[in-house]
Amino acid sequence: MDVRRAAERYPGGDPEAGIDSRHAFSFGPHYDPDNLRFGAVIACNEEWLAPGAGFDEHPHSHTEIVTWVVEGELTHRDSAGNETRVRPGDVQRLSSAAGVRHVERNDGTAPLTFIQMWLAPLEPGGEPSYSIVPGIADSTPYAVPEAGAMLHVRRLTPGERTAVPDAAYVYVHVVRGEVQVAGERLAPGDSARITGAVGLEAVGITAAELLLWEMAP
């Protein structure tokens, strides 16, 4: 298990424009050949947008983009004609396939915090697609078959235990609260990259919210 702390993330964004980003993987000017991906995950970005701030229209291709809002409301528009508001508890996925353009903004009056995870597809190309699951229930798995991955959302009470999936690769991201995994205490923004996970548990030290990616080899 490889633990990466929130303080180790690469800084990014444009603070003067109300955008603050923290990247868990090699990203943009922060090139690190030893930190390009883990399993299918190629990015796990924590984003903070001030009211009125956002990312203007930009392209993506050959990437499965999954977004989880922590607080606030995210406005999404894309070149396929989708326009939605993403709220805490919603799972949003944009399959960029052969190419799509989109806009992400905070059109609200409160700060916006969200986590965006990029996964490499098993096969490049195809037609772009978009989906959103509003208010996904605790413990409900969300499949991203294009990347051979499954997302598990867990909301733990203090002392509550949850199984870490037995899988070739598991990526654990702590959204809020503190948990313990294999003797390691993880706080908000911390992550664990687990290879060959078998029989592991995550335990809530406090009330906590976790995102766990289960991935095939």
Side-chain angles (χ1 to χ4, degrees), residues 1-5 172-194 202-203 205-206 208 210:
M1 185 170 76
D2 179 9
V3 173
R4 305 290 179 105
R5 301 297 179 184
V172 181
H173 175 85
V174 180
V175 178
R176 64 181 99 235
E178 294 189 356
V179 301
Q180 183 168 293
V181 180
E184 289 280 356
R185 189 180 185 116
L186 305 177
D190 290 351
S191 63
R193 306 175 188 191
I194 306 170
V203 184
I205 297 172
T206 66
L210 301 178

Side-chain angles (χ1 to χ4, degrees), residues 38-116:
F38 178 76
V41 179
I42 55 177
C44 180
N45 305 332
E46 293 183 315
E47 306 284 1
W48 291 269
L49 299 183
F55 300 99
D56 294 332
E57 188 175 82
H58 57 281
H60 287 282
S61 62
H62 314 304
T63 311
E64 300 295 316
I65 302 169
V66 177
T67 303
W68 181 260
V69 172
V70 180
E71 62 179 355
E73 185 177 89
L74 173 67
T75 297
H76 165 95
R77 294 191 297 275
D78 63 45
S79 54
N82 300 296
E83 181 168 351
T84 54
R85 299 289 181 94
V86 189
R87 300 175 176 89
D90 299 346
V91 175
Q92 175 191 256
R93 179 164 68 96
L94 176 63
S95 180
S96 63
V100 71
R101 302 180 68 85
H102 74 155
V103 175
E104 297 162 297
R105 297 197 58 81
N106 179 6
D107 289 333
T109 57
L112 166 66
T113 304
F114 66 96
I115 297 155
Q116 192 167 88

Side-chain angles (χ1 to χ4, degrees), residues 130-213:
Y130 178 83
S131 63
I132 184 168
V133 177
I136 192 166
D138 182 42
S139 298
T140 302
Y142 179 82
V144 184
E146 293 84 351
M150 184 87 72
L151 176 65
H152 302 267
V153 178
R154 284 307 330 264
R155 303 175 183 98
L156 302 178
T157 58
E160 185 179 358
R161 298 174 177 269
T162 187
V164 172
D166 291 347
Y169 300 104
V170 176
Y171 185 83
V172 181
H173 175 85
V174 180
V175 178
R176 64 181 99 235
E178 294 189 356
V179 301
Q180 183 168 293
V181 180
E184 289 280 356
R185 189 180 185 116
L186 305 177
D190 290 351
S191 63
R193 306 175 188 191
I194 306 170
T195 305
V198 176
L200 295 178
E201 289 184 321
V203 184
I205 297 172
T206 66
E209 185 173 77
L210 301 178
L211 303 177
L212 301 95
W213 282 105

